[in-house]
Amino acid sequence: MSVYPEEHRNSIPTRQSAMVFRLKTHVLQTGRFVKNILDKAHVAHKIAPVDGDLTVVGESSTPLWTEIDPSERNLQLGKVQNLRTALRKLNGVRVPANQTFSFWAQLGAPTRARGYVAGRELREGCIVPSIAGGLCQLSNALYDAALQSGFEILERHAHSQVVPGSVAEHDRDATIFWNYVDLRFRSTQDFAIEAWMTDEKLIVRFRAAKPAPKLAAEPVKSMLAILPISDHSSPNSCMSCGVIDCFRSPKLSVLSPASRTAFLVDEYWPEFDAYIGQHKTANDCLMLPIDGTKFNKANYKWTTQGFAEYKEQRVFTALRSFQSRSLAQQGAERQRALLKQQKRLAKAYARSIDYHITHLVVTQSLLPYLWDEGVLGGRTFDVLMTSLPLAKLHERLDGAQSMHPKSPTLGDFRADQSIVASETKALRQARRIITPHSEIASLFGDRAELLNWVMPEMKPQTKLGTKIVFPASTLGRKGAYELRDVALKMNLPVALVGPNLEGDEFWKGVKVERLNSDNWLDDAAMVVLPAWVEQRPRRLLEAISRGIPVIASRACGLEKIAQVKSVRTGDVAALCAAMKEGILERHSISTGCSSK
């Protein structure tokens, strides 16, 4: 907003003019504060998940990065951070019919304490650094979408000076200034607001039951009528105008910050440790789920390289709960506890991310919560993928449950739908999907970067084994039903690693042997895991390292490893044929298994 007198529009701003500006704003802010107290329509509306079945009645999409001058980079980054902060109060707002939406009532005071930083503000004919600067891009988008939606505009103020390339050139802008320059509108029907950022754009969308009729309402008279309105000349910027006599001129050279990446890690995977070690620079930061005040190398599970990274003072840390240690190994209670931990960790990381960071590499478990926090907007980001996307995982488990409806474990837990929706949106926007899991990588096409599995160091098997080993707890999602069916048909004994969680009578009719988890591979002839879900095939990698044949479903993510025979998930006939072939190759014994 530009409010400096017209005759001095191109003169050099002074401290006196700035003081006059502040006095005027204090008077106007005080008057509006009193008026808002008496105005029953000046309220913040509730936020709730937006119903995708509602019709899109208006949408505005505008670029985030509009300056090409490197000296403007800091203010551009500040503007994007301010938009992130504001969108947390705006995305999902539900406004009832005939009730007023007020920009400032919804967002509240834009202070540093609420997360706002120095951004770009148009003031007295200049673009100046200002706390919460840049929010006009959001008010512009709301006004544009409101016009498209046919809403009644109750208050709107045009910018008094036009920034080239902005919507103000088309009279679709709405300036705001706490608290007396507001944007207000209403509709004759309920509507919802969706507002988010990609790495390049700000998108504001209104949804309602049906398009509203176009209304031709005049905006209320501006409180700024006492102030002169506009020439359309291009404003100067304090960062690049070169007028060093101006009191706002930076006294030192302001350099554009170098691009920085933050790696947000939730759990240790050697594949991701190697990836981070290859890609992290000295300017980047690594966030780990440890308590930095009680740090010692003995309880640190990262590699030596990771430990060295910690000591570089480039690492943010966050407290992590170890509540899960007291929970059952499986089941809904454990999964709910893990989700709570992940949410807490994501929130801690979100508070620690510097707004100058332009790229994130995020562990998948944190992804939906970081999306909901809004920290992914206005940045590029990659995902360290550790499991199937939640939507695909639910679909997979539902398919297994339909085949084995009596299983006590296949239906015991599903993530809340809001978490699934947030992860789906975030994955759609992610730049790269990074994973060693071949099935997960296959879901993302050209966006996937398939890492090599890190093989554990194991001594090769020195003699031919005799046991068919199932290297997991007896669970439906690990393929226990499929292996049982084959074992019964072929009259094969099975050696088990892990507890039986499908019921005491599950292996009835099959000769089973319980193995010690420390030496489970000592007499293995083959390792079989026809899992529906397997995100960490570590035991299979141990078998591969020892030279023991492995038969695994595609859900185990090992299709690129020649030593592994992959079978279709849930396909008993394919599993039977693969096991028959493996037994014949290994032991030259006959079976009753049909390959049909």
Side-chain angles (χ1 to χ4, degrees), residues 171-192:
D171 197 31
R172 308 286 283 192
D173 63 313
T175 186
I176 41 86
F177 194 96
W178 171 262
N179 60 353
Y180 64 97
V181 183
D182 202 358
L183 170 66
R184 296 187 178 196
F185 49 81
R186 66 188 173 202
S187 173
T188 56
Q189 61 178 332
D190 296 353
F191 69 93

Side-chain angles (χ1 to χ4, degrees), residues 205-280:
R205 179 183 293 165
F206 290 173
R207 289 184 179 270
K210 59 182 179 180
K214 303 299 181 184
L215 300 176
E218 291 291 332
V220 297
K221 294 299 182 181
S222 171
M223 282 189 175
L224 300 183
I226 61 172
L227 300 173
I229 303 293
S230 89
D231 75 37
H232 282 17
S233 60
S234 177
N236 292 325
S237 170
C238 285
M239 309 304 290
S240 60
C241 71
V243 182
I244 60 175
D245 291 338
C246 176
F247 79 97
R248 296 196 190 107
S249 176
K251 303 306 178 186
L252 299 175
S253 173
V254 180
L255 299 177
S256 175
S259 295
R260 298 181 62 200
T261 296
F263 297 84
L264 279 57
V265 178
D266 181 26
E267 54 186 320
Y268 171 71
W269 279 44
E271 296 81 12
F272 296 145
D273 186 41
Y275 178 87
I276 293 171
Q278 292 170 3
H279 291 83
K280 182 181 178 298

Side-chain angles (χ1 to χ4, degrees), residues 469-474 495-499 513-517 520 539:
V469 179
F470 181 62
S473 299
T474 299
L496 304 177
V497 181
E513 177 185 355
R514 305 287 175 179
L515 299 179
N516 187 304
S517 59
W520 66 279
R539 282 180 170 162

Side-chain angles (χ1 to χ4, degrees), residues 3-36:
V3 296
Y4 199 61
E6 182 70 24
E7 62 269 22
H8 299 296
R9 183 66 55 89
N10 295 316
S11 63
I12 299 175
T14 64
R15 295 185 186 278
Q16 182 179 1
S17 68
M19 187 176 297
V20 170
F21 173 83
R22 289 309 305 162
L23 288 173
K24 288 181 178 180
T25 58
H26 280 312
V27 171
L28 294 169
Q29 286 171 335
T30 301
R32 191 59 181 258
F33 176 76
V34 173
K35 183 177 180 180
N36 287 340

Side-chain angles (χ1 to χ4, degrees), residues 148-162:
Q148 295 178 40
S149 304
F151 293 174
E152 181 183 3
I153 309 301
L154 302 175
E155 179 179 349
R156 171 255 178 171
H157 310 275
H159 283 80
S160 60
Q161 194 165 10
V162 175

Side-chain angles (χ1 to χ4, degrees), residues 1 17 86 91 99 232 259 264-265 290 306 314 333 399 420 423 436 442 457 483 485 499 526-527 559 564:
M1 176 184 64
S17 68
N91 185 38
Q99 290 194 19
H232 282 17
S259 295
L264 279 57
V265 178
I290 56 178
R314 292 278 182 184
E333 182 185 0
V420 178
E423 186 195 67
S442 70
E457 295 183 4
L483 180 58
D485 290 348
M526 70 172 62
V527 175
E559 284 191 88
V564 177

